[in-house]
Amino acid sequence: MANHKSALKRIRQAKVRTLHNNYYAKTMRNAVRKLRATTDKEEAVKMYPTVQKMLDKLAKTNIIHKNKAANLKSSLSMHISKLG
């Protein structure tokens, strides 16, 4: 167990930040899943900018890696272009 007040505070802060980061990461995964499940091209094109913005924000705040965000955006845009 931690011996210093600052270490105890760090533990509390880390717990809160982990919950916060997990929430936004899960929200992003659900948005990506929803976009991939879409079969209507018009609807997918409408959803893509919001998902793209979400990925950029999460990469900026280091919740996900910037390359992961780039790979997801690329694969989603390919998915949209293949829709009929």
Side-chain angles (χ1 to χ4, degrees):
M1 191 62 203
N3 291 322
H4 297 282
K5 262 186 161 179
S6 60
L8 292 170
K9 183 176 179 180
R10 276 276 170 227
I11 291 168
R12 289 196 309 270
Q13 286 177 331
K15 222 180 277 183
V16 169
R17 287 186 180 134
T18 300
L19 280 172
H20 178 265
N21 291 345
N22 287 345
Y23 169 76
Y24 283 103
K26 183 69 174 175
T27 305
M28 177 267 306
R29 284 196 302 273
N30 286 338
V32 169
R33 200 174 291 133
K34 187 176 178 184
L35 182 58
R36 280 202 181 117
T38 305
T39 53
D40 182 27
K41 185 169 186 164
E42 209 173 285
E43 192 180 329
V45 168
K46 209 184 308 179
M47 286 170 58
Y48 183 68
T50 57
V51 174
Q52 187 177 11
K53 187 177 179 182
M54 186 185 299
L55 289 168
D56 288 336
K57 278 185 178 181
L58 293 179
K60 184 180 174 186
T61 55
N62 290 324
I63 294 174
I64 60 171
H65 196 274
K66 63 178 182 152
N67 291 352
K68 182 183 177 75
N71 288 336
L72 283 170
K73 289 192 294 185
S74 173
S75 67
L76 288 173
S77 66
M78 279 174 38
H79 170 73
I80 291 171
S81 68
K82 287 179 184 174
L83 288 175

